[in-house]
């Protein structure tokens, strides 16, 4: 299954001229990479217990099942990855990224309350890239609307990130950029 996803993305990338402009893929965290709000549904600090990530009450913490593979494959394909989260639980979000082993994937981490527009302006400045070289995945329509207005192809995620959501998002990026 992993090979199938990797091959599908490779075919999309090699057969489409416009995807070579895609450089940065940014994800929201809550209800996008994991199925909860880190500031209200779980209780930091987090730790590893018996091989699982748990919160301070011992409740197991999990991400959406395909997220680790998606992040690994996108990084292997040469994309720069980032997170943009408006959570007020900054330390908890950063701790979960570390415990899930995702820090090796993310070049950009914009985790603080406020507008996603600020997050993306920071990523643009730090990366020296243009908004039309980015794609964004988020579960909230208001964020999709705001970031679309910047010129970033923005994908509404309904049930968490998975391989199909990312493949469809990249295809939408290609279609939007070829018009």
């Amino acid at each position: 299954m992993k090979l199938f996803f990797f091959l599908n993305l490779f075919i999309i990338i090699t057969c489409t001229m416009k995807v070579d402009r895609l450089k940065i893929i940014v994800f929201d965290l809550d209800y996008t990479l994991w199925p909860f709000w880190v500031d209200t549904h779980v209780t930091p600090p987090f730790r590893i217990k018996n091989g699982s990530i748990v919160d301070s009450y011992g409740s197991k913490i999990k991400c959406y099942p395909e997220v680790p593979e998606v992040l690994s494959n996108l990084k292997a394909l040469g994309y720069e990855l980032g997170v943009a989260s408006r959570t007020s639980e900054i330390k908890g979000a950063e701790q979960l990224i570390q415990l899930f082993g995702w820090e090796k994937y993310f070049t950009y981490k914009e985790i603080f309350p406020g507008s996603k527009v600020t997050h993306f302006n920071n990523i643009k400045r730090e990366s020296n890239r243009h908004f039309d070289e980015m794609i964004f995945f988020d579960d909230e329509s208001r964020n999709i609307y705001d970031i679309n207005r910047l010129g970033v192809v923005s994908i509404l995620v309904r049930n968490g990130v998975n391989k199909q959501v990312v493949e469809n998002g990249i295809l939408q990026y290609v279609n939007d950029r070829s018009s």
Side-chain angles (χ1 to χ4, degrees):
M1 200 58 141
K2 181 176 182 178
L3 181 61
F4 180 72
F5 173 70
F6 193 79
L7 286 174
N8 278 348
L9 280 179
F10 181 76
I11 290 166
I12 292 167
I13 291 163
T14 56
C15 294
T16 311
M17 303 271 289
K18 296 292 181 183
V19 82
D20 66 345
R21 293 187 62 199
L22 177 58
K23 303 298 182 195
I24 300 174
I25 301 174
V26 181
F27 299 94
D28 175 48
L29 294 173
D30 296 338
Y31 286 100
T32 302
L33 296 185
W34 51 57
F36 53 84
W37 284 313
V38 71
D39 58 354
T40 58
H41 293 157
V42 294
T43 308
F46 305 102
R47 66 185 193 286
I48 303 286
K49 180 180 179 185
N50 300 326
S52 296
I53 300 171
V54 298
D55 72 1
S56 64
Y57 291 107
S59 298
K60 286 187 179 181
I61 307 295
K62 295 186 179 201
C63 63
Y64 287 110
E66 295 182 7
V67 167
E69 184 179 349
V70 166
L71 296 177
S72 175
N73 288 342
L74 291 173
K75 190 71 170 178
L77 287 167
Y79 292 108
E80 293 181 81
L81 305 181
V83 293
S85 176
R86 298 180 320 125
T87 186
S88 59
E89 184 50 63
I90 300 164
K91 287 182 183 177
E94 290 178 347
Q95 187 180 31
L96 284 176
I97 288 169
Q98 189 270 325
L99 290 172
F100 281 124
W102 298 346
E103 68 282 349
K104 64 185 170 242
Y105 301 126
F106 295 122
T107 305
Y108 310 101
K109 286 192 287 183
E110 295 293 318
I111 305 172
F112 55 87
S115 171
K116 295 268 177 144
V117 172
T118 303
H119 294 147
F120 271 82
N121 280 322
N122 291 345
I123 291 170
K124 181 182 178 200
R125 184 176 52 255
E126 187 179 337
S127 68
N128 288 317
R129 297 283 183 192
H130 300 281
F131 290 135
D132 65 356
E133 297 174 290
M134 301 178 194
I135 190 172
F136 177 50
F137 295 87
D138 196 312
D139 67 305
E140 292 188 48
S141 296
R142 65 181 170 162
N143 296 328
I144 296 301
Y145 176 79
D146 289 346
I147 302 309
N148 258 330
R149 291 182 63 201
L150 294 176
V152 175
V153 172
S154 301
I155 308 301
L156 183 62
V157 175
R158 300 220 181 262
N159 296 302
V161 161
N162 60 44
K163 293 176 265 192
Q164 192 64 58
V165 165
V166 172
E167 285 180 11
N168 290 344
I170 291 173
L171 285 173
Q172 182 175 329
Y173 176 91
V174 169
N175 290 334
D176 288 1
R177 294 296 178 243
S178 33
S179 316

